[in-house]
Amino acid sequence: MDRGAAGRAAASGGLMPGERREAVAEQNVPTHATDTMAYQVATDVRALRAFVSAGALARGLSAERVELLTLAVSELATNTLQHTTGGGWVRLWAESGQLFCDVVDHGPARAFGRSMPAADSVRGRGLAIVEQICDEVAVLTGPGETVVRIRLSL
């Protein structure tokens, strides 16, 4: 299955025919070996990209995949800053050959599963890009927070 289909399946809670559901949405955040960084304003996104890149490389993600993860996190953080208040934070960890990254904020749940907007559209590509480049995407909501959890195989 392609990465986009995996993301859409996770986000929608449905499975593609013959697919075994990965448990990205049920993955607990370990208290050890988890790096966390907060961001509040647009100028924090550059440091956030560096944080994600360094953490992913240190955990064994290939350089090509690090670029994809960094792009995905940048798109999600930018979405947070444009559509919510108070900024957010990112958690990064690896477990069982998988790299997990949570982008957490106090905004409403994101709507994944949409197709890429038309080429002449001014906005709306960020979440579609995230789905296309990550192995899996899930949205988790809790009291006062929304978590977009992304997973990439190491």
Side-chain angles (χ1 to χ4, degrees):
M1 174 173 32
D2 71 350
R3 290 183 203 139
R8 286 186 293 280
S12 68
L15 296 177
M16 304 301 290
E19 175 188 4
R20 183 179 71 82
R21 179 182 171 115
E22 297 294 332
V24 70
E26 297 165 7
Q27 177 67 35
N28 291 323
V29 178
T31 56
H32 63 287
T34 301
D35 292 336
T36 303
M37 180 180 171
Y39 59 96
Q40 299 281 324
V41 294
T43 55
D44 292 341
V45 175
R46 179 182 221 167
L48 184 63
R49 287 185 197 119
F51 163 81
V52 168
S53 294
L57 279 171
R59 288 170 172 81
L61 193 63
S62 70
E64 178 183 310
R65 302 275 283 169
V66 166
E67 288 182 22
L68 295 175
L69 174 65
T70 303
L71 173 61
V73 172
S74 181
E75 289 294 334
L76 292 169
T78 299
N79 192 38
T80 294
L81 293 170
Q82 289 179 346
H83 301 290
T84 72
T85 59
W89 60 98
V90 171
R91 293 185 291 239
L92 184 68
W93 75 99
E95 192 170 308
S96 304
Q98 307 294 317
L99 184 73
F100 295 90
C101 186
D102 286 350
V103 179
V104 186
D105 63 36
H106 299 291
R110 278 37 162 211
F112 283 91
R114 296 178 285 177
S115 59
M116 189 66 71
D120 60 350
S121 294
V122 176
R123 302 178 60 101
R125 288 181 187 77
L127 299 182
I129 288 170
V130 171
E131 283 188 281
Q132 293 298 313
I133 62 178
C134 295
D135 294 334
E136 191 170 10
V137 177
V139 178
L140 313 165
T141 57
E145 73 178 26
T146 296
V147 178
V148 178
R149 179 165 293 164
I150 54 180
R151 178 188 60 81
L152 287 91
S153 296
L154 290 173

